[in-house]
Amino acid sequence: MTHQHVCVLGSTGSIGENTLDVIARHPETISIYALSAHSRIERLAEQAQATRAKVVIVPTEAARAQFEHAWTVAQPRPEIRVGAQALADTAADAAVTTVMAAIVGAAGLPSALAAAKAGKRVLLANKEALVAAGGLFMRAVRDNGAELLPIDSEHNAIFQCLPHTHDRAKAPTQPAKGVRRLLLTASGGPFRTTALHLLPGVTPDQACAHPNWSMGRKISVDSATMLNKGLEVIEAHWLFAMPVNRIQVVIHPQSMVHSMVEYEDGSILAQLGQPDMRTPIAYGLGFPERIDSGVGLLALTALGRLDFEEPNLERFPCLKLSFDALKTSQAACVALNAANEIAVDCFLKQQIRYTEIACIIEDSLNRITGMPTPGLDSLDEVLALDAHTRSIAAELCLLKG
Ligand code: NAD
Ligand code: MG
């Protein structure tokens, strides 16, 4: 394996921390070049000290001052870069071989796209980038000789189960030969069996208490509503060039089967493992080799059984909204994601109820899909529609709140 110099975008988040954990196990082959954080700047300083990062990226001049203040050791301080443009520039930096795109939300799109355009190995955790700009992103990977390794556990599982062609990290333009369907597993989240009449009263902490995975708060709420699975259906469509009618969602409460590929001959290949993001992260870093992730064995006999069930769309209206958005248009996918980001943020701040998240998304989608929208073949057009939908969704949240 040639030595990798990694830029971790969103290093203080759940994926970011797991990425640093895996990289620390491979000092002879992987080093950290840059780290970024939007908040928790003291934690960023600790990470930069431990990893000897050359560069850090912070959002504002105030955060730069905070970082300088937090740097109390004799070790030379990394170069501090400031602002959103610095994220994209560092992702494209000639010193970087590999970019972990682990910023949450559409805010991560410009830097992930910059990494693809610069022909890097892109480890993509930020699913919102593909939901908002799948076509644009996949074209950037193909046209610039980048490598795309999906980190989202389901897509990583599917990637592992697909035929091992030499160009599989190069953004395919058609479904892999012999594949009938992709089967995305979903845990069903913390409210899989909660009585429907109790859902309007659930709290942010209850929604974030995922039964199997420890994740950031936004994706935890998305997992509870299953909007996360909806985003993943759209993500799978783009990553694997798969038509929407050949992607199926299956509830699997144990979260040990991370997803499956069904072949024309009736075979189903599955990838299993502990629900620990260090496995897909290590796969992306090591590809095409396998490297240590620090994840323990999956004790199948202790587990005893694996269950599978059909998702109930009455319980999970966000899943239906996502399938509909993918069938409607790219504009609908941009709007779905943007409205969700606003609605989840308002829910986390206790300004709207849990069950209102789906209403805000649906009403925003109705407003957007009724309007003429641009072709969305540039980043600027995508970001403009994203911003416009956010203002609509924010207004709708105010009316509910
Ligand atoms: P998190 O909230 O724990 O971390 C987010 C990171 O992004 C932090 O470092 C934060 O400082 C930074 N950030 C937040 N807003 C930003 C902004 N506007 N500009 C720049 N940086 C910003 O999130 P997470 O759970 O690590 O998820 C990160 C991404 O990975 C998300 O897109 C999520 O959907 C995806 N993902 C996460 C998991 C998981 O297990 N956590 C699994 C699959 C996919
Ligand atoms: Mg996932």
Side-chain angles (χ1 to χ4, degrees), residues 9-16 36-39 87 101-105 107 125-128 151-153 213-219 228 232 277:
L9 300 172
S11 65
T12 53
S14 164
I15 294 285
S36 94
H38 200 65
S39 56
L87 291 170
I103 289 173
V104 60
N126 177 278
K127 63 191 82 189
E128 295 91 346
I151 298 302
D152 209 349
S153 58
W213 296 92
S214 148
M215 309 181 286
R217 282 173 81 78
K218 189 260 176 184
I219 184 177
N228 180 53
E232 290 182 357
M277 290 307 293

PDB file of all heavy atoms in Angstrom, residues 9-16 36-39 87 101-105 107 125-128 151-153 213-219 228 232 277, ligand 1:
ATOM      1  N   LEU A   9     -12.381  15.709   6.913  1.00  0.00           N
ATOM      2  CA  LEU A   9     -13.318  16.833   7.002  1.00  0.00           C
ATOM      3  C   LEU A   9     -14.417  16.451   7.980  1.00  0.00           C
ATOM      4  O   LEU A   9     -15.136  15.486   7.756  1.00  0.00           O
ATOM      5  CB  LEU A   9     -13.910  17.130   5.618  1.00  0.00           C
ATOM      6  CG  LEU A   9     -12.878  17.498   4.542  1.00  0.00           C
ATOM      7  CD1 LEU A   9     -13.541  17.579   3.172  1.00  0.00           C
ATOM      8  CD2 LEU A   9     -12.187  18.809   4.885  1.00  0.00           C
ATOM      9  N   GLY A  10     -14.536  17.196   9.076  1.00  0.00           N
ATOM     10  CA  GLY A  10     -15.502  16.844  10.132  1.00  0.00           C
ATOM     11  C   GLY A  10     -14.866  15.902  11.136  1.00  0.00           C
ATOM     12  O   GLY A  10     -15.489  14.943  11.587  1.00  0.00           O
ATOM     13  N   SER A  11     -13.606  16.182  11.522  1.00  0.00           N
ATOM     14  CA  SER A  11     -12.859  15.219  12.344  1.00  0.00           C
ATOM     15  C   SER A  11     -13.381  15.099  13.772  1.00  0.00           C
ATOM     16  O   SER A  11     -13.117  14.109  14.443  1.00  0.00           O
ATOM     17  CB  SER A  11     -11.368  15.574  12.364  1.00  0.00           C
ATOM     18  OG  SER A  11     -11.168  16.811  13.009  1.00  0.00           O
ATOM     19  N   THR A  12     -14.130  16.108  14.248  1.00  0.00           N
ATOM     20  CA  THR A  12     -14.616  16.038  15.632  1.00  0.00           C
ATOM     21  C   THR A  12     -15.954  15.317  15.750  1.00  0.00           C
ATOM     22  O   THR A  12     -16.480  15.156  16.852  1.00  0.00           O
ATOM     23  CB  THR A  12     -14.778  17.456  16.227  1.00  0.00           C
ATOM     24  OG1 THR A  12     -15.601  18.208  15.322  1.00  0.00           O
ATOM     25  CG2 THR A  12     -13.445  18.142  16.388  1.00  0.00           C
ATOM     26  N   GLY A  13     -16.526  14.896  14.624  1.00  0.00           N
ATOM     27  CA  GLY A  13     -17.804  14.183  14.664  1.00  0.00           C
ATOM     28  C   GLY A  13     -17.602  12.707  14.950  1.00  0.00           C
ATOM     29  O   GLY A  13     -16.476  12.235  15.180  1.00  0.00           O
ATOM     30  N   SER A  14     -18.721  11.996  14.916  1.00  0.00           N
ATOM     31  CA  SER A  14     -18.696  10.569  15.214  1.00  0.00           C
ATOM     32  C   SER A  14     -17.858   9.797  14.174  1.00  0.00           C
ATOM     33  O   SER A  14     -16.984   8.994  14.531  1.00  0.00           O
ATOM     34  CB  SER A  14     -20.154  10.107  15.257  1.00  0.00           C
ATOM     35  OG  SER A  14     -20.247   8.739  15.185  1.00  0.00           O
ATOM     36  N   ILE A  15     -18.072  10.074  12.901  1.00  0.00           N
ATOM     37  CA  ILE A  15     -17.274   9.410  11.858  1.00  0.00           C
ATOM     38  C   ILE A  15     -15.825   9.882  11.936  1.00  0.00           C
ATOM     39  O   ILE A  15     -14.886   9.087  11.810  1.00  0.00           O
ATOM     40  CB  ILE A  15     -17.846   9.715  10.458  1.00  0.00           C
ATOM     41  CG1 ILE A  15     -19.226   9.087  10.296  1.00  0.00           C
ATOM     42  CG2 ILE A  15     -16.899   9.256   9.351  1.00  0.00           C
ATOM     43  CD1 ILE A  15     -19.252   7.611  10.086  1.00  0.00           C
ATOM     44  N   GLY A  16     -15.634  11.178  12.164  1.00  0.00           N
ATOM     45  CA  GLY A  16     -14.280  11.733  12.241  1.00  0.00           C
ATOM     46  C   GLY A  16     -13.468  11.048  13.335  1.00  0.00           C
ATOM     47  O   GLY A  16     -12.334  10.611  13.107  1.00  0.00           O
ATOM     48  N   SER A  36     -10.622  19.086  10.182  1.00  0.00           N
ATOM     49  CA  SER A  36     -11.510  20.259  10.232  1.00  0.00           C
ATOM     50  C   SER A  36     -12.616  20.060  11.260  1.00  0.00           C
ATOM     51  O   SER A  36     -13.036  18.931  11.513  1.00  0.00           O
ATOM     52  CB  SER A  36     -12.159  20.507   8.867  1.00  0.00           C
ATOM     53  OG  SER A  36     -13.426  19.883   8.766  1.00  0.00           O
ATOM     54  N   ALA A  37     -13.060  21.185  11.842  1.00  0.00           N
ATOM     55  CA  ALA A  37     -14.209  21.139  12.751  1.00  0.00           C
ATOM     56  C   ALA A  37     -14.971  22.449  12.667  1.00  0.00           C
ATOM     57  O   ALA A  37     -14.395  23.504  12.376  1.00  0.00           O
ATOM     58  CB  ALA A  37     -13.738  20.922  14.188  1.00  0.00           C
ATOM     59  N   HIS A  38     -16.264  22.366  12.943  1.00  0.00           N
ATOM     60  CA  HIS A  38     -17.127  23.541  12.907  1.00  0.00           C
ATOM     61  C   HIS A  38     -17.360  24.081  14.313  1.00  0.00           C
ATOM     62  O   HIS A  38     -17.649  25.248  14.511  1.00  0.00           O
ATOM     63  CB  HIS A  38     -18.458  23.135  12.274  1.00  0.00           C
ATOM     64  CG  HIS A  38     -19.246  24.277  11.750  1.00  0.00           C
ATOM     65  ND1 HIS A  38     -18.813  25.047  10.700  1.00  0.00           N
ATOM     66  CD2 HIS A  38     -20.452  24.787  12.114  1.00  0.00           C
ATOM     67  CE1 HIS A  38     -19.704  25.982  10.449  1.00  0.00           C
ATOM     68  NE2 HIS A  38     -20.701  25.848  11.300  1.00  0.00           N
ATOM     69  N   SER A  39     -17.274  23.187  15.283  1.00  0.00           N
ATOM     70  CA  SER A  39     -17.416  23.573  16.695  1.00  0.00           C
ATOM     71  C   SER A  39     -16.464  22.668  17.478  1.00  0.00           C
ATOM     72  O   SER A  39     -15.671  21.951  16.877  1.00  0.00           O
ATOM     73  CB  SER A  39     -18.870  23.382  17.155  1.00  0.00           C
ATOM     74  OG  SER A  39     -19.261  22.054  16.933  1.00  0.00           O
ATOM     75  N   LEU A  87     -12.075  24.657   3.209  1.00  0.00           N
ATOM     76  CA  LEU A  87     -12.397  23.221   3.243  1.00  0.00           C
ATOM     77  C   LEU A  87     -12.221  22.622   1.854  1.00  0.00           C
ATOM     78  O   LEU A  87     -11.579  21.575   1.676  1.00  0.00           O
ATOM     79  CB  LEU A  87     -13.844  22.995   3.709  1.00  0.00           C
ATOM     80  CG  LEU A  87     -14.174  23.318   5.163  1.00  0.00           C
ATOM     81  CD1 LEU A  87     -15.681  23.271   5.386  1.00  0.00           C
ATOM     82  CD2 LEU A  87     -13.478  22.325   6.093  1.00  0.00           C
ATOM     83  N   ALA A 101     -14.811  12.475   3.772  1.00  0.00           N
ATOM     84  CA  ALA A 101     -15.861  13.497   3.743  1.00  0.00           C
ATOM     85  C   ALA A 101     -16.881  13.160   4.820  1.00  0.00           C
ATOM     86  O   ALA A 101     -17.796  12.383   4.596  1.00  0.00           O
ATOM     87  CB  ALA A 101     -16.505  13.553   2.362  1.00  0.00           C
ATOM     88  N   ALA A 102     -16.699  13.737   6.008  1.00  0.00           N
ATOM     89  CA  ALA A 102     -17.538  13.381   7.161  1.00  0.00           C
ATOM     90  C   ALA A 102     -18.146  14.604   7.828  1.00  0.00           C
ATOM     91  O   ALA A 102     -18.403  14.614   9.026  1.00  0.00           O
ATOM     92  CB  ALA A 102     -16.746  12.562   8.167  1.00  0.00           C
ATOM     93  N   ILE A 103     -18.363  15.658   7.021  1.00  0.00           N
ATOM     94  CA  ILE A 103     -19.151  16.793   7.515  1.00  0.00           C
ATOM     95  C   ILE A 103     -20.605  16.370   7.415  1.00  0.00           C
ATOM     96  O   ILE A 103     -20.976  15.602   6.531  1.00  0.00           O
ATOM     97  CB  ILE A 103     -18.844  18.040   6.657  1.00  0.00           C
ATOM     98  CG1 ILE A 103     -17.417  18.518   6.968  1.00  0.00           C
ATOM     99  CG2 ILE A 103     -19.863  19.148   6.860  1.00  0.00           C
ATOM    100  CD1 ILE A 103     -16.910  19.634   6.085  1.00  0.00           C
ATOM    101  N   VAL A 104     -21.444  16.855   8.319  1.00  0.00           N
ATOM    102  CA  VAL A 104     -22.855  16.464   8.265  1.00  0.00           C
ATOM    103  C   VAL A 104     -23.636  17.473   7.419  1.00  0.00           C
ATOM    104  O   VAL A 104     -23.390  18.671   7.485  1.00  0.00           O
ATOM    105  CB  VAL A 104     -23.454  16.307   9.690  1.00  0.00           C
ATOM    106  CG1 VAL A 104     -23.391  17.595  10.485  1.00  0.00           C
ATOM    107  CG2 VAL A 104     -24.882  15.780   9.639  1.00  0.00           C
ATOM    108  N   GLY A 105     -24.548  16.947   6.590  1.00  0.00           N
ATOM    109  CA  GLY A 105     -25.464  17.798   5.841  1.00  0.00           C
ATOM    110  C   GLY A 105     -24.918  18.295   4.517  1.00  0.00           C
ATOM    111  O   GLY A 105     -23.762  18.022   4.155  1.00  0.00           O
ATOM    112  N   ALA A 107     -23.847  20.994   3.825  1.00  0.00           N
ATOM    113  CA  ALA A 107     -22.649  21.813   4.037  1.00  0.00           C
ATOM    114  C   ALA A 107     -21.389  21.060   3.606  1.00  0.00           C
ATOM    115  O   ALA A 107     -20.363  21.671   3.319  1.00  0.00           O
ATOM    116  CB  ALA A 107     -22.537  22.209   5.505  1.00  0.00           C
ATOM    117  N   ALA A 125     -18.657   9.590   3.608  1.00  0.00           N
ATOM    118  CA  ALA A 125     -19.646   9.326   4.663  1.00  0.00           C
ATOM    119  C   ALA A 125     -20.836  10.254   4.467  1.00  0.00           C
ATOM    120  O   ALA A 125     -21.968   9.888   4.741  1.00  0.00           O
ATOM    121  CB  ALA A 125     -19.026   9.550   6.041  1.00  0.00           C
ATOM    122  N   ASN A 126     -20.558  11.465   3.967  1.00  0.00           N
ATOM    123  CA  ASN A 126     -21.586  12.496   3.806  1.00  0.00           C
ATOM    124  C   ASN A 126     -22.575  12.122   2.698  1.00  0.00           C
ATOM    125  O   ASN A 126     -22.375  12.414   1.529  1.00  0.00           O
ATOM    126  CB  ASN A 126     -20.892  13.833   3.480  1.00  0.00           C
ATOM    127  CG  ASN A 126     -21.893  14.936   3.229  1.00  0.00           C
ATOM    128  OD1 ASN A 126     -22.429  15.061   2.141  1.00  0.00           O
ATOM    129  ND2 ASN A 126     -22.164  15.711   4.241  1.00  0.00           N
ATOM    130  N   LYS A 127     -23.665  11.464   3.099  1.00  0.00           N
ATOM    131  CA  LYS A 127     -24.645  10.995   2.106  1.00  0.00           C
ATOM    132  C   LYS A 127     -25.421  12.130   1.489  1.00  0.00           C
ATOM    133  O   LYS A 127     -25.903  12.043   0.369  1.00  0.00           O
ATOM    134  CB  LYS A 127     -25.581   9.974   2.750  1.00  0.00           C
ATOM    135  CG  LYS A 127     -26.419  10.515   3.879  1.00  0.00           C
ATOM    136  CD  LYS A 127     -27.120   9.399   4.652  1.00  0.00           C
ATOM    137  CE  LYS A 127     -26.211   8.774   5.676  1.00  0.00           C
ATOM    138  NZ  LYS A 127     -26.724   7.589   6.314  1.00  0.00           N
ATOM    139  N   GLU A 128     -25.553  13.257   2.258  1.00  0.00           N
ATOM    140  CA  GLU A 128     -26.344  14.376   1.747  1.00  0.00           C
ATOM    141  C   GLU A 128     -25.748  14.924   0.444  1.00  0.00           C
ATOM    142  O   GLU A 128     -26.477  15.444  -0.404  1.00  0.00           O
ATOM    143  CB  GLU A 128     -26.428  15.492   2.800  1.00  0.00           C
ATOM    144  CG  GLU A 128     -27.192  15.086   4.072  1.00  0.00           C
ATOM    145  CD  GLU A 128     -26.298  14.480   5.174  1.00  0.00           C
ATOM    146  OE1 GLU A 128     -25.137  14.117   4.892  1.00  0.00           O
ATOM    147  OE2 GLU A 128     -26.779  14.371   6.322  1.00  0.00           O
ATOM    148  N   ILE A 151     -18.689   4.898   2.590  1.00  0.00           N
ATOM    149  CA  ILE A 151     -18.435   4.609   4.011  1.00  0.00           C
ATOM    150  C   ILE A 151     -19.730   4.310   4.755  1.00  0.00           C
ATOM    151  O   ILE A 151     -19.732   3.544   5.716  1.00  0.00           O
ATOM    152  CB  ILE A 151     -17.681   5.792   4.660  1.00  0.00           C
ATOM    153  CG1 ILE A 151     -16.323   5.980   3.976  1.00  0.00           C
ATOM    154  CG2 ILE A 151     -17.513   5.586   6.163  1.00  0.00           C
ATOM    155  CD1 ILE A 151     -15.404   4.785   3.993  1.00  0.00           C
ATOM    156  N   ASP A 152     -20.839   4.891   4.303  1.00  0.00           N
ATOM    157  CA  ASP A 152     -22.128   4.548   4.903  1.00  0.00           C
ATOM    158  C   ASP A 152     -22.185   3.020   4.948  1.00  0.00           C
ATOM    159  O   ASP A 152     -21.880   2.348   3.949  1.00  0.00           O
ATOM    160  CB  ASP A 152     -23.242   5.122   4.010  1.00  0.00           C
ATOM    161  CG  ASP A 152     -24.488   5.451   4.799  1.00  0.00           C
ATOM    162  OD1 ASP A 152     -24.576   5.049   5.964  1.00  0.00           O
ATOM    163  OD2 ASP A 152     -25.377   6.115   4.238  1.00  0.00           O
ATOM    164  N   SER A 153     -22.535   2.449   6.106  1.00  0.00           N
ATOM    165  CA  SER A 153     -22.319   1.006   6.298  1.00  0.00           C
ATOM    166  C   SER A 153     -23.065   0.152   5.268  1.00  0.00           C
ATOM    167  O   SER A 153     -22.538  -0.862   4.800  1.00  0.00           O
ATOM    168  CB  SER A 153     -22.737   0.598   7.713  1.00  0.00           C
ATOM    169  OG  SER A 153     -24.082   0.926   7.927  1.00  0.00           O
ATOM    170  N   TRP A 213     -26.472   1.773  17.014  1.00  0.00           N
ATOM    171  CA  TRP A 213     -25.344   2.567  16.537  1.00  0.00           C
ATOM    172  C   TRP A 213     -25.193   3.815  17.401  1.00  0.00           C
ATOM    173  O   TRP A 213     -26.191   4.385  17.831  1.00  0.00           O
ATOM    174  CB  TRP A 213     -25.571   3.039  15.103  1.00  0.00           C
ATOM    175  CG  TRP A 213     -25.652   1.995  14.051  1.00  0.00           C
ATOM    176  CD1 TRP A 213     -26.780   1.384  13.605  1.00  0.00           C
ATOM    177  CD2 TRP A 213     -24.571   1.450  13.277  1.00  0.00           C
ATOM    178  NE1 TRP A 213     -26.462   0.501  12.604  1.00  0.00           N
ATOM    179  CE2 TRP A 213     -25.126   0.514  12.376  1.00  0.00           C
ATOM    180  CE3 TRP A 213     -23.192   1.665  13.248  1.00  0.00           C
ATOM    181  CZ2 TRP A 213     -24.361  -0.200  11.469  1.00  0.00           C
ATOM    182  CZ3 TRP A 213     -22.425   0.963  12.342  1.00  0.00           C
ATOM    183  CH2 TRP A 213     -23.003   0.031  11.470  1.00  0.00           C
ATOM    184  N   SER A 214     -23.945   4.263  17.583  1.00  0.00           N
ATOM    185  CA  SER A 214     -23.711   5.545  18.235  1.00  0.00           C
ATOM    186  C   SER A 214     -23.297   6.540  17.149  1.00  0.00           C
ATOM    187  O   SER A 214     -22.291   6.342  16.473  1.00  0.00           O
ATOM    188  CB  SER A 214     -22.627   5.344  19.287  1.00  0.00           C
ATOM    189  OG  SER A 214     -21.876   6.504  19.422  1.00  0.00           O
ATOM    190  N   MET A 215     -24.100   7.598  16.953  1.00  0.00           N
ATOM    191  CA  MET A 215     -23.887   8.496  15.810  1.00  0.00           C
ATOM    192  C   MET A 215     -24.180   9.929  16.217  1.00  0.00           C
ATOM    193  O   MET A 215     -24.678  10.188  17.307  1.00  0.00           O
ATOM    194  CB  MET A 215     -24.859   8.123  14.674  1.00  0.00           C
ATOM    195  CG  MET A 215     -24.873   6.667  14.301  1.00  0.00           C
ATOM    196  SD  MET A 215     -26.012   6.279  12.949  1.00  0.00           S
ATOM    197  CE  MET A 215     -27.600   6.376  13.765  1.00  0.00           C
ATOM    198  N   GLY A 216     -23.907  10.885  15.301  1.00  0.00           N
ATOM    199  CA  GLY A 216     -24.256  12.283  15.535  1.00  0.00           C
ATOM    200  C   GLY A 216     -25.763  12.439  15.681  1.00  0.00           C
ATOM    201  O   GLY A 216     -26.531  11.549  15.322  1.00  0.00           O
ATOM    202  N   ARG A 217     -26.202  13.599  16.230  1.00  0.00           N
ATOM    203  CA  ARG A 217     -27.626  13.753  16.543  1.00  0.00           C
ATOM    204  C   ARG A 217     -28.505  13.857  15.298  1.00  0.00           C
ATOM    205  O   ARG A 217     -29.612  13.348  15.270  1.00  0.00           O
ATOM    206  CB  ARG A 217     -27.834  14.976  17.461  1.00  0.00           C
ATOM    207  CG  ARG A 217     -27.460  14.615  18.902  1.00  0.00           C
ATOM    208  CD  ARG A 217     -27.466  15.791  19.828  1.00  0.00           C
ATOM    209  NE  ARG A 217     -28.762  16.200  20.348  1.00  0.00           N
ATOM    210  CZ  ARG A 217     -29.422  15.593  21.338  1.00  0.00           C
ATOM    211  NH1 ARG A 217     -28.923  14.519  21.901  1.00  0.00           N
ATOM    212  NH2 ARG A 217     -30.577  16.064  21.768  1.00  0.00           N
ATOM    213  N   LYS A 218     -28.015  14.513  14.262  1.00  0.00           N
ATOM    214  CA  LYS A 218     -28.857  14.677  13.067  1.00  0.00           C
ATOM    215  C   LYS A 218     -29.148  13.316  12.440  1.00  0.00           C
ATOM    216  O   LYS A 218     -30.300  12.975  12.176  1.00  0.00           O
ATOM    217  CB  LYS A 218     -28.148  15.618  12.080  1.00  0.00           C
ATOM    218  CG  LYS A 218     -29.010  16.042  10.891  1.00  0.00           C
ATOM    219  CD  LYS A 218     -28.712  15.264   9.639  1.00  0.00           C
ATOM    220  CE  LYS A 218     -29.638  15.635   8.508  1.00  0.00           C
ATOM    221  NZ  LYS A 218     -29.386  14.804   7.318  1.00  0.00           N
ATOM    222  N   ILE A 219     -28.115  12.507  12.213  1.00  0.00           N
ATOM    223  CA  ILE A 219     -28.352  11.204  11.581  1.00  0.00           C
ATOM    224  C   ILE A 219     -29.121  10.280  12.524  1.00  0.00           C
ATOM    225  O   ILE A 219     -29.876   9.416  12.076  1.00  0.00           O
ATOM    226  CB  ILE A 219     -27.041  10.549  11.065  1.00  0.00           C
ATOM    227  CG1 ILE A 219     -27.364   9.231  10.337  1.00  0.00           C
ATOM    228  CG2 ILE A 219     -26.019  10.347  12.133  1.00  0.00           C
ATOM    229  CD1 ILE A 219     -26.181   8.538   9.726  1.00  0.00           C
ATOM    230  N   ASN A 228     -33.333   8.683   7.009  1.00  0.00           N
ATOM    231  CA  ASN A 228     -31.963   8.236   6.738  1.00  0.00           C
ATOM    232  C   ASN A 228     -31.961   7.127   5.696  1.00  0.00           C
ATOM    233  O   ASN A 228     -31.163   7.142   4.760  1.00  0.00           O
ATOM    234  CB  ASN A 228     -31.300   7.756   8.032  1.00  0.00           C
ATOM    235  CG  ASN A 228     -29.876   7.276   7.786  1.00  0.00           C
ATOM    236  OD1 ASN A 228     -29.075   7.993   7.204  1.00  0.00           O
ATOM    237  ND2 ASN A 228     -29.572   6.048   8.181  1.00  0.00           N
ATOM    238  N   GLU A 232     -30.485   7.019   1.933  1.00  0.00           N
ATOM    239  CA  GLU A 232     -29.594   5.923   1.508  1.00  0.00           C
ATOM    240  C   GLU A 232     -30.077   5.241   0.236  1.00  0.00           C
ATOM    241  O   GLU A 232     -29.266   4.729  -0.541  1.00  0.00           O
ATOM    242  CB  GLU A 232     -29.452   4.909   2.645  1.00  0.00           C
ATOM    243  CG  GLU A 232     -28.654   5.500   3.795  1.00  0.00           C
ATOM    244  CD  GLU A 232     -28.421   4.545   4.958  1.00  0.00           C
ATOM    245  OE1 GLU A 232     -28.926   3.405   4.917  1.00  0.00           O
ATOM    246  OE2 GLU A 232     -27.739   4.942   5.913  1.00  0.00           O
ATOM    247  N   MET A 277     -18.642   1.647  12.904  1.00  0.00           N
ATOM    248  CA  MET A 277     -18.249   2.302  11.655  1.00  0.00           C
ATOM    249  C   MET A 277     -16.771   2.146  11.328  1.00  0.00           C
ATOM    250  O   MET A 277     -16.349   2.455  10.215  1.00  0.00           O
ATOM    251  CB  MET A 277     -18.628   3.794  11.694  1.00  0.00           C
ATOM    252  CG  MET A 277     -20.114   4.058  11.623  1.00  0.00           C
ATOM    253  SD  MET A 277     -20.950   3.269  10.225  1.00  0.00           S
ATOM    254  CE  MET A 277     -20.247   4.148   8.837  1.00  0.00           C
TER     255      MET A 277
HETATM  256  P1  NAD B   1     -21.510  14.572  13.666  1.00  0.00           P
HETATM  257  O1  NAD B   1     -22.579  15.579  13.890  1.00  0.00           O
HETATM  258  O2  NAD B   1     -21.078  13.693  14.758  1.00  0.00           O
HETATM  259  O3  NAD B   1     -20.199  15.339  13.094  1.00  0.00           O
HETATM  260  C1  NAD B   1     -20.256  16.280  12.083  1.00  0.00           C
HETATM  261  C2  NAD B   1     -18.904  16.927  11.818  1.00  0.00           C
HETATM  262  O4  NAD B   1     -19.079  17.941  10.803  1.00  0.00           O
HETATM  263  C3  NAD B   1     -18.281  17.626  13.025  1.00  0.00           C
HETATM  264  O5  NAD B   1     -16.884  17.542  12.946  1.00  0.00           O
HETATM  265  C4  NAD B   1     -18.732  19.091  12.838  1.00  0.00           C
HETATM  266  O6  NAD B   1     -17.865  20.018  13.458  1.00  0.00           O
HETATM  267  C5  NAD B   1     -18.692  19.237  11.337  1.00  0.00           C
HETATM  268  N1  NAD B   1     -19.667  20.210  10.821  1.00  0.00           N
HETATM  269  C6  NAD B   1     -20.959  20.359  11.219  1.00  0.00           C
HETATM  270  N2  NAD B   1     -21.548  21.354  10.514  1.00  0.00           N
HETATM  271  C7  NAD B   1     -20.608  21.854   9.674  1.00  0.00           C
HETATM  272  C8  NAD B   1     -20.606  22.902   8.705  1.00  0.00           C
HETATM  273  N3  NAD B   1     -21.688  23.649   8.454  1.00  0.00           N
HETATM  274  N4  NAD B   1     -19.447  23.134   8.031  1.00  0.00           N
HETATM  275  C9  NAD B   1     -18.341  22.396   8.265  1.00  0.00           C
HETATM  276  N5  NAD B   1     -18.293  21.392   9.165  1.00  0.00           N
HETATM  277  C10 NAD B   1     -19.410  21.124   9.867  1.00  0.00           C
HETATM  278  O7  NAD B   1     -21.993  13.709  12.389  1.00  0.00           O
HETATM  279  P2  NAD B   1     -21.633  12.185  12.052  1.00  0.00           P
HETATM  280  O8  NAD B   1     -22.587  11.284  12.719  1.00  0.00           O
HETATM  281  O9  NAD B   1     -20.165  11.956  12.185  1.00  0.00           O
HETATM  282  O10 NAD B   1     -22.026  12.145  10.497  1.00  0.00           O
HETATM  283  C11 NAD B   1     -21.205  12.734   9.516  1.00  0.00           C
HETATM  284  C12 NAD B   1     -21.736  12.337   8.133  1.00  0.00           C
HETATM  285  O11 NAD B   1     -21.586  10.943   7.985  1.00  0.00           O
HETATM  286  C13 NAD B   1     -23.225  12.627   7.944  1.00  0.00           C
HETATM  287  O12 NAD B   1     -23.453  13.005   6.612  1.00  0.00           O
HETATM  288  C14 NAD B   1     -23.881  11.302   8.232  1.00  0.00           C
HETATM  289  O13 NAD B   1     -25.110  11.132   7.533  1.00  0.00           O
HETATM  290  C15 NAD B   1     -22.834  10.326   7.709  1.00  0.00           C
HETATM  291  N6  NAD B   1     -22.875   9.006   8.335  1.00  0.00           N
HETATM  292  C16 NAD B   1     -22.641   8.874   9.685  1.00  0.00           C
HETATM  293  C17 NAD B   1     -22.688   7.640  10.286  1.00  0.00           C
HETATM  294  C18 NAD B   1     -22.392   7.462  11.767  1.00  0.00           C
HETATM  295  O14 NAD B   1     -22.333   6.341  12.230  1.00  0.00           O
HETATM  296  N7  NAD B   1     -22.218   8.507  12.529  1.00  0.00           N
HETATM  297  C19 NAD B   1     -22.969   6.510   9.516  1.00  0.00           C
HETATM  298  C20 NAD B   1     -23.190   6.667   8.156  1.00  0.00           C
HETATM  299  C21 NAD B   1     -23.132   7.921   7.573  1.00  0.00           C
END
